[in-house]
Amino acid sequence: MIVLNKAPYEQKATREAFGDEIEELGKENKDIMVVDADIGGSCKTTKFMNAVPKQHVNVGIAEQNAAGMAAGLSTTGKIPFVSTYAVFGSLRMAEQVRQEVCYPNLNVKIACSHGGLTPANDGGSHQAIEDMGVYRTIPNMRVIMGADYNATRKLVRQAAEIYGPVYLRFTRDKVPVIYDENEEFEIGKAKQLKEGNDVAIIANGDTVCLALEAAEILESKGVSVKLLDMHTIKPIDHEAIIECTKIGKIVTVEDHNILNGLGSAVSDVVAEEGNTRVRRIGVQDRFGESAPYEKLLEINGITVENIVNTAEELL
Amino acid sequence: MSNITVEELKEKAIQLRQTAVTMVYHAQSGHPGGSLSAADFVTALYFREMNVNPEDPEWADRDRFVLSKGHVAPIQYAALAHRGFVPMETVKTLREYKSPFQGHPDSKKCPGIDISTGSLGQGLSCAVGMALAGKLDKKDYRVFAVIGDGEAQEGQIWEAAQSAVKYKLDNLIVFLDDNGLQIDGPTDEIMPNLDLEKKFEAFGFTTKRIDGHSMEEILETLDEVKNVKDGKPKCIVCNTIKGKGVSFMENVVGWHGKAPNEEEYEKAMEELARGLNA
């Protein structure tokens, strides 16, 4: 059984996890490379650059070229991580990643900070609410967002160890560190945080901590909650979702458009397995704006209170 | 293959043209115009210049070839077939289900394709990545990339160009097939490229404009630039004729992506054969 950290939690952005883990990986394996597109400081790749400068490429503000060069590098056995913001990493270079990474099934990782609403005060232009959905539709791609610093470090390492394209998404802002640093993660396998039989809550990324708090409130009201951290939305963990359909009530929570993200991925499985109601909490198919991160979550109903209420409505 | 003569290479170029046209005829689909304009330098690369091994297409030290203008796959496929990467019968399977000769080059399906291409503007970046890896690994292989003049309208070409210069990739040699036509009409009307030789020069490349149908000039230019370790990538801008070698296809926009009918095919093969017997 998973032993989670106790509140008050340490707070750390998951982009820091990428920066720390990729530095370790780079020192261990000379084939690990980072391809930056000018924003290495913000994406936390500076330590990598300083530790293993020969494994670091900076193409400047030219994301499409970053993806293409990474593809070329990978054909020789390199393992490039293209690092930029999620909105550029998923949309500006989407076609390059489709054509030159996923179609030839090359060993390139797209590792992006500023996922979801976390670049809050940067405004709607910089909040990536479609990224996971974009990559979920491209064959050969895996799509991952760790819930916290420790989960993200483990998932970054795994992404480096498996062959093929992976999209990794990180938070700009700090989120609670809920997992112990020794907890292990497997790409494509949901992490069960609570076993229960009244309602299932499936969350990922920066919303897992909100779902955890909501689950505890529901439990205090006598509701038995099954809670999953679905860090990988593709390949999705069918088995874990099918287990949830036995309860028949699922609430999904994500910092992403409710279209084509976690909620959609869960619904895809549920639709084929029958008799379960799904309520999706996430960005309500609307662009963001400059505001504190918590305010943006509130506008979209991505709150502990709304998770509790939504679960109770399903009961 | 370095002992092949110029005359033999000229013949080979005609054979490759015949094979490319035959492929498109069998498939009743494909891109003959640009395949024919690129035929001469593709021949020079596959039959004299490039260090590749059909027995071991993924040999780590091989020279790389990236067909950034991927729609002219028939000319690369013709080279691969004549060079022994795939059996000659494969030429009758262009664009068919399960064929290694997909509509556009597919590195998963065809030996000798170093990376899949087909979406214009992207292959040069991949070539830059390969060339950079060669520098990092201190390998001697070279990377040859073929781009089109229409393709040079894509912004990513210039992103790739600037990075090739930044990383001093003198192991990258770009052939620019400047045939002056694109699918909607003359390149000068659709979107003028101005002087591509000067553009690449301004980006920091060593450039040279040559007659892309003169085997002598192609070989001379390769000999001139190929071993120059000056830290500069090379761009050979080739003046070419779309449809070169088949009179009714030459400089006709309509032959960008159209297959010949039986009569046209026979005429094309006859004209090309005349070149062989000349």
Side-chain angles (χ1 to χ4, degrees):
Chain A
M1 194 61 200
I2 297 168
V3 181
L4 294 171
N5 293 333
K6 299 261 177 284
Y9 302 104
E10 188 186 356
Q11 303 278 329
K12 270 175 143 173
T14 65
R15 62 175 158 159
E16 301 282 356
F18 171 61
D20 292 344
E21 195 64 28
I22 198 72
E23 183 195 8
E24 290 301 313
L25 286 163
K27 287 196 267 191
E28 290 167 24
N29 181 353
K30 68 175 179 43
D31 284 333
I32 298 278
M33 294 189 69
V34 164
V35 180
D36 267 326
D38 191 47
I39 41 180
S42 181
C43 293
K44 302 297 165 192
T45 53
T46 308
K47 285 195 296 181
F48 178 96
M49 178 181 72
N50 291 333
V52 284
K54 287 187 175 153
Q55 292 160 237
H56 180 260
V57 176
N58 194 334
V59 301
I61 307 165
E63 293 80 8
Q64 302 170 87
N65 187 41
M69 270 179 74
L73 286 164
S74 77
T75 63
T76 71
K78 308 283 182 202
I79 307 170
F81 280 68
V82 180
S83 174
T84 180
Y85 294 162
V87 75
F88 313 133
S90 62
L91 292 164
R92 178 67 72 97
M93 62 168 82
E95 202 221 337
Q96 284 73 13
V97 173
R98 178 193 186 269
Q99 305 289 1
E100 302 301 347
V101 174
C102 295
Y103 181 54
N105 197 26
L106 295 175
N107 199 16
V108 174
K109 322 298 170 183
I110 311 298
C112 292
S113 178
H114 291 48
L117 298 169
T118 68
N121 51 14
D122 286 333
S125 61
H126 280 55
Q127 294 157 9
I129 57 168
E130 317 89 342
D131 54 331
M132 299 178 85
V134 168
Y135 279 133
R136 195 164 81 87
T137 63
I138 302 182
N140 293 337
M141 186 54 112
R142 301 166 182 86
V143 182
I144 296 167
M145 185 179 196
D148 74 354
Y149 176 87
N150 288 330
T152 302
R153 282 195 71 154
K154 292 289 171 67
L155 289 162
V156 167
R157 177 162 290 265
Q158 263 210 24
E161 285 167 354
I162 60 168
Y163 181 87
V166 179
Y167 177 67
L168 291 150
R169 183 204 219 209
F170 316 120
T171 64
R172 184 196 73 171
D173 292 356
K174 291 178 177 178
V175 290
V177 181
I178 58 170
Y179 288 110
D180 183 82
E181 64 181 353
N182 295 316
E183 196 60 44
E184 293 300 330
F185 293 82
E186 193 182 332
I187 289 173
K189 190 142 180 34
K191 203 84 186 156
Q192 181 164 305
L193 304 189
K194 286 183 182 293
E195 178 59 291
N197 49 34
D198 290 333
V199 63
I201 302 176
I202 306 177
N204 69 3
D206 46 315
T207 67
V208 173
C209 59
L210 303 176
L212 182 62
E213 199 179 330
E216 277 159 8
I217 292 170
L218 287 162
E219 280 174 342
S220 72
K221 294 178 170 186
V223 179
S224 169
V225 180
K226 182 182 180 82
L227 176 60
L228 298 181
D229 169 4
M230 194 67 77
H231 47 75
T232 308
I233 68 161
K234 185 188 174 188
I236 195 90
D237 187 344
H238 280 250
E239 211 175 297
I241 297 170
I242 288 165
E243 281 302 309
C244 295
T245 63
K246 291 176 184 164
I247 300 172
K249 303 172 191 84
I250 299 176
V251 179
T252 63
V253 195
E254 63 194 308
D255 181 0
H256 186 279
N257 198 337
I258 54 163
L259 302 180
N260 216 8
L262 170 69
S264 292
V266 168
S267 300
D268 286 352
V269 177
V270 168
E272 292 183 349
E273 299 304 324
N275 234 1
T276 293
R277 291 180 70 199
V278 179
R279 289 282 177 84
R280 294 170 300 163
I281 294 175
V283 176
Q284 300 297 304
D285 195 25
R286 58 190 276 180
F287 288 113
E289 57 196 292
S290 285
Y293 168 60
E294 291 72 18
K295 180 69 185 173
L296 294 168
L297 292 178
E298 185 194 314
I299 291 169
N300 286 284
I302 309 170
T303 59
V304 173
E305 190 187 7
N306 192 35
I307 300 168
V308 170
N309 292 343
T310 306
E312 283 178 332
E313 281 166 27
L314 279 181
L315 292 174
Chain B
M1 314 260 333
S2 54
N3 52 359
I4 191 166
T5 66
V6 176
E7 290 314 310
E8 285 168 330
L9 280 168
K10 287 180 182 175
E11 274 183 30
K12 193 56 86 179
I14 292 172
Q15 290 166 6
L16 258 55
R17 284 190 164 91
Q18 288 178 317
T19 303
V21 171
T22 301
M23 243 183 262
V24 175
Y25 171 65
H26 273 287
Q28 276 303 297
S29 151
H31 296 83
S35 293
L36 295 171
S37 64
D40 296 299
F41 56 79
V42 167
T43 303
L45 290 176
Y46 272 97
F47 293 88
R48 198 198 70 160
E49 192 56 44
M50 287 203 298
N51 205 8
V52 290
N53 182 3
E55 308 294 312
D56 185 8
E58 293 183 30
W59 171 42
D61 293 335
R62 72 189 183 282
D63 287 336
R64 269 71 173 172
F65 181 89
V66 178
L67 189 66
S68 196
K69 47 177 292 187
H71 57 283
V72 306
I75 199 65
Q76 186 182 12
Y77 294 158
L80 291 174
H82 283 265
R83 195 73 170 73
F85 281 87
V86 290
M88 197 52 93
E89 306 88 85
T90 316
V91 304
K92 294 194 175 168
T93 67
L94 176 69
R95 295 180 166 236
E96 283 180 7
Y97 181 55
K98 299 250 185 219
S99 171
F101 290 173
Q102 295 286 297
H104 295 78
D106 184 337
S107 53
K108 298 191 303 302
K109 293 195 167 68
C110 185
I113 301 289
D114 291 316
I115 194 159
S116 305
T117 51
S119 180
L120 292 176
Q122 301 186 7
L124 189 56
S125 294
C126 303
V128 168
M130 292 174 188
L132 175 59
K135 288 283 179 195
L136 292 171
D137 293 342
K138 301 197 175 8
K139 286 186 178 283
D140 290 329
Y141 68 73
R142 299 156 306 165
V143 182
F144 296 94
V146 175
I147 64 175
D149 56 337
E151 182 182 15
Q153 292 159 358
E154 290 278 7
Q156 193 185 342
I157 289 290
W158 305 102
E159 294 187 2
Q162 67 195 8
S163 59
V165 171
K166 173 183 173 184
Y167 288 102
K168 301 183 169 37
L169 303 180
D170 51 21
N171 54 349
L172 174 69
I173 301 177
V174 180
F175 277 84
L176 200 160
D177 186 6
D178 196 1
N179 63 33
L181 297 180
Q182 58 192 111
I183 199 163
D184 268 359
T187 308
D188 280 346
E189 285 173 25
I190 305 301
M191 183 50 68
N193 275 313
L194 306 179
D195 189 331
L196 286 166
E197 188 193 354
K198 283 191 188 150
K199 272 181 163 173
F200 272 96
E201 196 183 347
F203 270 74
F205 278 60
T206 297
T207 60
K208 191 171 180 190
R209 187 178 279 278
I210 65 166
D211 174 355
H213 298 309
S214 161
M215 192 59 76
E216 289 84 353
E217 250 191 272
I218 293 167
L219 300 180
E220 268 167 36
T221 307
L222 273 169
D223 288 343
E224 222 172 90
V225 303
K226 68 185 182 190
N227 294 320
V228 181
K229 298 283 171 212
D230 58 355
K232 290 169 82 175
K234 324 287 187 262
C235 180
I236 304 172
V237 181
C238 299
N239 291 329
T240 56
I241 295 168
K242 206 159 179 171
K244 173 73 178 175
V246 178
S247 61
F248 59 90
M249 291 187 183
E250 287 189 3
N251 274 325
V252 178
V253 165
W255 286 101
H256 170 89
K258 189 175 89 167
N261 61 28
E262 194 179 340
E263 193 187 329
E264 289 161 338
Y265 173 63
E266 278 167 12
K267 186 159 186 261
M269 294 304 275
E270 193 188 310
E271 282 188 17
L272 288 166
R274 249 183 270 146
L276 273 184
N277 301 326

